Amino acid sequence: MSHHRNPRALLTPAMHGVLDRMARSGKLPLHALTPQLARRAYETGAGVLDIAPTKVDRVEDFAVTARDGHALPVRLYAPHGSVGAALPVLVYLHGGGFTVGSIATHDSLCRALSHQAHCAVLSVDYRLAPEHRFPVAFEDSWDAVRWVARFGSEKGLDSRRVAVGGDSAGGTLAAACALQARDEAVPLALQLLFYPGCSSHQDQRSHKTFGHGFVLEAAHIDYFFNLYLRSHADRADWRFAPLMADDVDGVAPAWFGLAECDPLVDEGLQYADRLRAAGVPVDLELYRGMVHDF
């Protein structure tokens, strides 16, 4: 997409105010912290742009077993009026650069999705880097999707109506899970992608235009990826960069929610275009004047 000569002029007045307050706070950026301190800081600040938590009918914490025996924490949300019904389910993968974020940081979002879409939402606490590097986050995410397909009925979920979604790094994981679902003939109804990372290298024009001063900075991206990836060779793996997939034919229909003032916007648009070219139904919303993580 084309980019404005003065990119800050694209911001909405409200977003201008948010960025100004963030700049005045004087807090150290996440990339200046250890991963452990970055997680605490992210947890503390996660509610800044959140809506108020929505009441839902049921919230249940439990664990599913990952391929290596790890007890993978998940949280299931069920909307009001869902008693006795087999619910469609969205498997949700939180953002945070594969390094920060959790079920707790995305609780309000998952509640809202469950309430507004009248579906169950299964939020997944996949393992984080650097303690668990690529491809563990993907494997945990896919193991959760596969668990829903095989055993979701035990929790009142309709395994014929499964979607996968996520924001930022979680959007990357969701897109990769949609590719894996296609390859393993696991039917998915939808992939819900909020400003996903899709590219192996961050060299699109939007990375240069919005790489400083728009919440997600180039230094953050370098920090997260250096903690997550084992080596440079991992960048060529479609489980990290869905644009690297040999083909995207036959994947689930996709909804994209992209932020105009986001370093990742161009790669999101590129992936949407690639899906359309392969005949995959795509619906895309470009939120004008918004930044990453809005």
Side-chain angles (χ1 to χ4, degrees):
M1 65 180 290
S2 61
H3 295 293
H4 202 278
R5 186 171 294 175
N6 176 16
R8 285 187 69 88
L10 297 171
L11 295 169
T12 66
M15 192 54 71
H16 257 296
V18 169
L19 296 187
D20 288 344
R21 290 195 299 275
M22 291 174 67
R24 289 197 302 269
S25 72
K27 293 180 180 178
L28 286 173
L30 295 185
H31 60 76
L33 304 173
T34 66
Q36 294 73 28
L37 289 176
R39 286 174 198 153
R40 288 186 212 163
Y42 188 78
E43 293 265 354
T44 301
V48 172
L49 297 180
D50 262 349
I51 58 173
T54 304
K55 289 184 179 180
V56 293
D57 189 62
R58 177 165 56 103
V59 178
E60 181 183 356
D61 291 318
F62 59 99
V64 302
T65 303
R67 65 190 68 192
D68 61 357
H70 170 68
L72 182 62
V74 296
R75 179 174 292 173
L76 179 64
Y77 303 84
H80 288 293
S82 59
V83 177
L87 288 169
V89 57
L90 167 67
V91 180
Y92 197 83
L93 307 165
H94 68 79
F98 311 102
T99 306
V100 302
S102 66
I103 286 174
T105 61
H106 285 61
D107 181 74
S108 290
L109 174 60
C110 289
R111 286 171 178 270
L113 290 169
S114 177
H115 173 70
Q116 294 185 24
H118 201 73
C119 71
V121 174
L122 188 78
S123 182
V124 182
D125 237 351
Y126 57 85
R127 284 171 280 185
L128 299 175
E131 295 88 347
H132 304 281
R133 292 181 178 262
F134 177 85
V136 173
F138 165 78
E139 291 174 344
D140 282 355
S141 301
W142 175 244
D143 289 349
V145 174
R146 190 163 50 185
W147 178 87
V148 169
R150 293 178 177 176
F151 306 111
S153 60
E154 298 174 4
K155 294 290 184 179
L157 306 177
D158 187 346
S159 60
R160 299 166 302 172
R161 295 185 291 167
V162 180
V164 64
D167 59 287
S168 195
T172 305
L173 295 169
C177 283
L179 288 162
Q180 187 71 23
R182 184 268 318 264
D183 292 346
E184 293 194 21
V186 174
L188 287 183
L190 178 72
Q191 49 182 320
L192 181 80
L193 310 177
F194 293 105
Y195 36 77
C198 299
S199 180
S200 57
H201 293 89
Q202 289 60 57
D203 53 7
Q204 291 82 6
R205 190 175 176 187
S206 60
H207 281 276
K208 299 176 178 66
T209 303
F210 304 112
H212 181 73
F214 293 85
V215 178
L216 180 65
E217 303 198 332
H220 287 115
I221 296 171
D222 290 341
Y223 170 77
F224 291 138
F225 290 176
N226 286 337
L227 291 171
Y228 179 53
L229 298 175
R230 299 165 300 183
S231 70
H232 188 77
D234 286 339
R235 287 180 174 271
D237 194 309
W238 58 265
R239 296 171 296 176
F240 168 72
L243 276 166
M244 297 300 293
D246 289 338
D247 72 84
V248 296
D249 297 358
V251 300
W255 180 90
F256 286 78
L258 306 181
E260 181 183 23
C261 304
D262 179 2
L264 305 188
V265 65
D266 282 355
E267 56 193 89
L269 291 168
Q270 287 173 12
Y271 194 56
D273 286 344
R274 184 155 185 223
L275 294 180
R276 285 194 191 100
V280 177
V282 171
D283 190 6
L284 187 147
E285 295 284 345
L286 181 64
Y287 292 86
R288 298 288 182 183
M290 294 289 108
V291 300
H292 193 84
D293 215 25
F294 78 93

